[in-house]
Amino acid sequence: ASPHNPENYVVMPGWRDDVMGGLPGPVQDLYFTSKEDEASCNWFNLTGVDLLVCHNASYEISWFLTRYRDEFEKFLKRGGRVLCTQQAEYILSNFVETYPSLDETAPKYGGTPKVDGIKELWKQGYLTSQIDPKLLREYLAGPNGDVENTARCFYGQLALLQERGQWRMFLERCDALLAFAYCEFAGLHVHVEVAEANLAAQ
């Protein structure tokens, strides 16, 4: 869903705090029943975080900038980086898999395909807020959920990118992804009347 629609809100965020070289942290999640409920909880707290790892990070960044911009930019200004496992897989596929899904990527690194039931409910028109929280939690924060699968991808890709001498390229591409996410967030003003007049003239 689009973060630019004022009716939308984060129903269930999920994350894991890892210490590099240490043990992985537990998967955590929250459940919100309304936009007001989400806004009342200071869940997006990046104090002490150096890396944010996401799959399809440009989508996540669109939410960070739209809803949590102050906290996100504090993270960036002190040197925080956003890393994208989708971008890593694009590089590791020798630039063949343009938009590899987490579902396709995770099994390569010991992960599992997503829980299909949630996708089916979305296809049937259910809003995320109308889906049983237990199913959502399994999909996002369960042992085979998005959080764990993203972590498996990241650590597997990290080893391969370093082995192939592509780690620096990956970091540069993630910086470019962040810059482009800002461009998308800022948008492009289109003067509709001028555009229509130009179209008619052509």
Side-chain angles (χ1 to χ4, degrees), residues 120-131:
E120 286 306 312
L121 291 170
W122 280 330
K123 283 181 189 173
Q124 292 170 30
Y126 283 84
L127 299 175
T128 305
S129 57
Q130 296 170 324
I131 297 173

Side-chain angles (χ1 to χ4, degrees), residues 20-39:
M20 290 300 283
L23 295 173
V27 177
Q28 301 174 63
D29 64 79
L30 293 167
Y31 183 78
F32 301 123
T33 56
S34 67
K35 189 173 178 181
E36 294 71 29
D37 189 20
E38 178 199 350

Side-chain angles (χ1 to χ4, degrees), residues 30 52 56 61 63 68 70 82 98 104 106 114 124-126 143 147 157 175 179 185:
L30 293 167
L52 272 177
N56 187 13
I61 293 167
W63 277 90
Y68 316 108
D70 288 347
V82 181
T98 350
E104 300 164 328
K114 289 185 182 228
Q124 292 170 30
Y126 283 84
V147 175
Q157 291 168 336
D175 286 346
F185 171 71

Side-chain angles (χ1 to χ4, degrees), residues 12-136:
M12 183 177 284
W15 68 93
R16 194 176 100 178
D17 290 328
D18 289 6
V19 177
M20 290 300 283
L23 295 173
V27 177
Q28 301 174 63
D29 64 79
L30 293 167
Y31 183 78
F32 301 123
T33 56
S34 67
K35 189 173 178 181
E36 294 71 29
D37 189 20
E38 178 199 350
S40 70
C41 173
N42 184 26
W43 73 273
F44 192 78
N45 184 336
L46 301 178
T47 303
V49 175
D50 296 313
L51 300 175
L52 272 177
V53 178
C54 315
H55 191 87
N56 187 13
S58 56
Y59 175 72
E60 306 295 343
I61 293 167
S62 69
W63 277 90
F64 301 158
L65 289 174
T66 308
R67 303 296 168 88
Y68 316 108
R69 186 171 180 175
D70 288 347
E71 181 68 14
F72 182 58
E73 290 188 339
K74 277 193 276 181
F75 160 79
L76 294 175
K77 286 173 184 175
R78 62 179 171 75
R81 298 189 88 141
V82 181
L83 304 182
C84 180
T85 53
Q86 187 178 64
Q87 187 71 232
E89 198 56 25
Y90 172 58
I91 294 169
L92 290 168
S93 73
N94 298 316
F95 309 97
V96 172
E97 294 180 38
T98 350
Y99 298 103
S101 69
L102 183 59
D103 214 24
E104 300 164 328
T105 306
K108 297 177 185 179
Y109 303 97
T112 56
K114 289 185 182 228
V115 180
D116 289 336
I118 298 291
K119 285 184 186 175
E120 286 306 312
L121 291 170
W122 280 330
K123 283 181 189 173
Q124 292 170 30
Y126 283 84
L127 299 175
T128 305
S129 57
Q130 296 170 324
I131 297 173
D132 183 343
K134 289 180 182 176
L135 283 178
L136 284 177

